[in-house]
Amino acid sequence: MELEALTKHLSYGRLAIACCALAVVCSTAAIGARYRSNRHAPPRHEQSHPIPYPNLELPLQVSGSQYEPLAWANVSGWNDDDHLAAYNAFRTSCKPIAAQQGAPADSKALGGSLRDPCRIAKGLDLGSGAKAKEFFEQNFVPLRISRLGEDAGFVTGYYEPVLDGSRTQTDVYNVPVYRRPSNLFVRGKTQASVGLPNSGPVYRKIGRRKLVPYYDRGQIEDGAIAGRGLEIAWLKSQTDLLFAQIQGSARIKFEDGTTLRINYDAHNGYPYTPVGRVLIDRGIIPRDQMSMQKIREWMEQNPDGAKELRRQNRAYVFFREVPLSDKDEAVGAQGVPLTPGRSIAVDKALHVYGTPFFIAGELPIESEQSKTPFHRLMIAQDTGSAIVGPARADLYFGAGADAGKVSGRLRHNMQFVMLVPKGLDPVARGHKLPIPDERPSAKIAKLFPQTDPQKDKPADVPTATVAKAGSKDAAKTPAAKDAAPAAPAATTSVAQSAPVAEPVPLPVARPDIPQPEKRRTRRTRHHRDQ
């Protein structure tokens, strides 16, 4: 019995050892099969981003512009300016900015970022230029800005004309100054709106629902809206009215010694055509001699030609009375009084009112041939239909004939430096952008050719380019100035960044290749036969 029990025990032990051995063999075979299978499988390339690589938002974007961060020491002429005068003009703009609540109504590069420096300025009643200079350097960073592909901005000048007029129509004063008609409509605005947009479609209502384009200049001069009680005052000539409309405001002196101030209120919806450009294109006045004085002289000497010339500009401006005395300055589009020599009109579609711009170069301030150094910090407080572009400004010089002479001869290229609140510093914000994945090698890209799913779609052209500070590579291309009547053609353009090699597409992970089940089955049957 003992022998039989011992025999059974040994049989069970052998059976257990055989089972363990069989399990080891099966595991080894499975591992070997997987190794041999993976040895022939194609390599995989794991990617962390979809193709194409997502477009990341730049730290600061001004449509159609390029900008270069600067150090204050590299801002030419910065130390020579009267910073206290600029600071006082900036504080004037800060009153409506600091009163704003909530997010800005429209999306622009600076957005509501000016509120922080404005709140600081509200509590600082500075009395020296050194303190004002320190304020700007502590709260802003300078960016040289220009239109994409150009190396400079462009400036013109404007002023407030002082015109002789009458409250009633006479033989001498027979040109009406119209207020906004009641049948003029702008989408999204009501008749109670003050200061309608100076660009965009404008309609005239016929009946209850039908809307058609409003009358143009020729139709209005021919009496399309006459006799409807829209006359604010009467002027001597259509030329006086035209220049008041170009400037956007005027002072009308009456024979009794009183003064009426008028300001822009609406327009008729047609694009502004500079009459000076028409005279240049026709060869009547050379480009280098063009000025508002030259235009006025030609119109006075050619009344018939002046009528035809005016009608080339189909745009027409309507005014409103403003309660200002002779001592008060004209009110800009921001709703604050302008400061002569410190206020500028900018492109409202791109810039925020209250933004400081340092403008540097040479201007004919003293005379038509003089080259007076001009290095001045200006504040954006106004706009105009002809002011288009990121580095385009109209410099305000005040009221009267002298201001008109200076502003009338300005058509010059200048350097623009935009002061950006430190909260929007593009250099600091750019450091937070994620770094893209490394490009795969050419060999990997060749092994895994890719078809970009969006290659057939129109490419998005970037509207803002950030130039690296201190970049020395330059690509010169000609550019034309078309934002002003007598803008000279640009002869140089801005330095471009170094050329970037064509990107190699990122490969996608290849799909798993199914394993050959037949070989695995045959191998399993072989072990079972053993």
Side-chain angles (χ1 to χ4, degrees):
M1 291 294 293
E2 292 179 359
L3 181 60
E4 183 178 356
L6 180 60
T7 302
K8 289 184 178 180
H9 181 73
L10 291 175
S11 299
Y12 288 142
R14 289 172 181 172
L15 180 62
I17 292 172
C19 290
C20 291
L22 180 61
V24 171
V25 171
C26 291
S27 300
T28 304
I31 293 173
R34 181 178 300 177
Y35 170 78
R36 285 188 293 272
S37 175
N38 289 341
R39 187 174 60 181
H40 298 288
R44 295 183 181 182
H45 177 79
E46 298 295 335
Q47 65 176 25
S48 59
H49 296 285
I51 297 177
Y53 196 79
N55 292 325
L56 299 176
E57 182 179 357
L58 294 175
L60 181 68
Q61 297 186 74
V62 180
S63 179
S65 75
Q66 58 195 12
Y67 58 84
E68 175 188 1
L70 298 174
W72 287 110
N74 296 331
V75 180
S76 177
W78 171 251
N79 295 328
D80 302 330
D81 191 23
D82 182 358
H83 298 88
L84 183 59
Y87 177 77
N88 292 332
F90 177 71
R91 288 191 74 190
T92 301
S93 280
C94 280
K95 294 177 182 179
I97 293 175
Q100 293 175 356
Q101 300 292 333
D106 47 5
S107 176
K108 296 175 185 174
L110 295 192
S113 62
L114 287 173
R115 295 176 188 175
D116 290 338
C118 277
R119 292 189 182 105
I120 296 175
K122 184 179 179 180
L124 296 177
D125 188 10
L126 303 181
S128 69
K131 291 290 185 181
K133 177 174 176 287
E134 183 180 356
F135 166 81
F136 288 114
E137 292 178 351
Q138 289 182 349
N139 293 280
F140 294 89
V141 293
L143 301 179
R144 180 184 289 120
I145 187 171
S146 62
R147 189 192 295 267
L148 193 63
E150 300 178 7
D151 63 350
F154 187 75
V155 301
T156 50
Y158 75 114
Y159 71 109
E160 186 181 25
V162 179
L163 308 172
D164 292 330
S166 173
R167 294 186 183 274
T168 59
Q169 184 179 13
T170 67
D171 293 338
V172 177
Y173 302 102
N174 56 8
V175 176
V177 178
Y178 288 124
R179 61 173 50 89
R180 187 203 313 172
S182 59
N183 63 342
L184 184 148
F185 291 92
V186 177
R187 295 190 186 278
K189 300 290 183 177
T190 65
Q191 287 296 317
S193 301
V194 177
L196 296 182
N198 61 1
S199 61
V202 174
Y203 303 97
R204 174 169 55 93
K205 190 174 183 181
I206 299 178
R208 288 189 172 183
R209 297 185 178 181
K210 186 176 181 180
L211 296 177
V212 298
Y214 206 79
Y215 301 115
D216 67 2
R217 176 177 294 276
Q219 292 171 314
I220 294 175
E221 287 187 0
D222 290 339
I225 60 175
R228 296 176 51 188
L230 300 174
E231 297 81 2
I232 298 176
W234 301 81
L235 302 178
K236 286 183 179 180
S237 68
Q238 291 286 356
T239 302
D240 284 347
L241 177 62
L242 174 65
F243 277 86
Q245 292 175 328
I246 292 174
Q247 303 306 317
S249 64
R251 304 184 189 190
I252 302 178
K253 294 280 189 180
F254 298 130
E255 293 180 349
D256 60 3
T258 60
T259 301
L260 173 66
R261 304 291 292 276
I262 56 174
N263 208 6
Y264 169 90
D265 191 37
H267 76 121
N268 64 341
Y270 292 90
Y272 170 73
T273 301
V275 293
R277 183 186 301 163
V278 177
L279 292 174
I280 292 174
D281 293 341
R282 294 178 179 180
I284 297 175
I285 299 178
R287 181 184 296 274
D288 58 353
Q289 298 180 19
M290 176 57 64
S291 68
M292 286 188 289
Q293 286 72 31
K294 292 288 186 181
I295 297 174
R296 180 180 285 275
E297 291 174 2
W298 186 88
M299 286 185 165
E300 291 175 353
Q301 296 170 5
N302 302 272
D304 293 337
K307 179 178 180 180
E308 188 273 336
L309 178 63
R310 288 194 310 271
R311 297 183 181 213
Q312 293 296 313
N313 175 30
R314 303 179 69 187
Y316 195 92
V317 170
F318 302 99
F319 293 96
R320 59 186 171 89
E321 299 181 42
V322 290
L324 295 174
S325 68
D326 285 346
K327 297 180 180 180
D328 297 323
E329 289 295 336
V331 176
Q334 190 187 10
V336 300
L338 302 178
T339 303
R342 292 294 169 179
S343 298
I344 59 174
V346 297
D347 188 344
K348 184 183 177 182
L350 301 178
H351 297 301
V352 177
Y353 292 139
T355 303
F357 286 86
F358 189 76
I359 300 177
E362 294 181 340
L363 293 176
I365 302 296
E366 304 298 332
S367 66
E368 293 185 2
Q369 304 301 325
S370 66
K371 295 183 179 180
T372 307
F374 189 93
H375 306 95
R376 195 171 295 183
L377 185 59
M378 315 286 281
I379 310 300
Q381 296 175 330
D382 205 356
T383 190
S385 58
I387 312 303
V388 180
R392 174 73 174 91
D394 219 5
L395 314 185
Y396 178 69
F397 283 93
D402 291 339
K405 290 178 181 179
V406 175
S407 60
R409 52 181 177 248
L410 299 191
R411 305 172 312 280
H412 291 72
N413 294 326
M414 302 285 280
Q415 294 294 326
F416 278 63
V417 176
M418 181 171 69
L419 271 57
V420 177
K422 278 196 172 180
L424 291 183
D425 183 358
V427 176
R429 298 180 74 193
H431 290 160
K432 299 179 182 180
L433 289 176
I435 299 177
D437 294 340
E438 293 185 5
R439 284 173 46 201
S441 65
K443 182 178 180 181
I444 294 296
K446 186 175 181 181
L447 290 174
F448 301 97
Q450 283 294 310
T451 300
D452 190 344
Q454 296 188 359
K455 71 176 183 178
D456 295 331
K457 296 181 179 180
D460 293 331
V461 180
T463 58
T465 302
V466 181
K468 292 184 178 179
S471 175
K472 295 182 179 179
D473 296 332
K476 303 291 184 180
T477 56
K481 299 288 189 306
D482 58 356
T491 57
T492 58
S493 62
V494 75
Q496 303 290 331
S497 56
V500 181
E502 294 185 1
V504 179
L506 292 174
V508 296
R510 293 176 62 86
D512 293 335
I513 300 176
Q515 301 297 329
E517 296 294 338
K518 186 175 182 180
R519 292 176 58 188
R520 187 184 306 165
T521 303
R522 183 168 59 250
R523 194 175 295 114
T524 303
R525 187 164 51 246
H526 172 74
H527 289 298
R528 285 179 180 175
D529 291 343
Q530 285 182 342

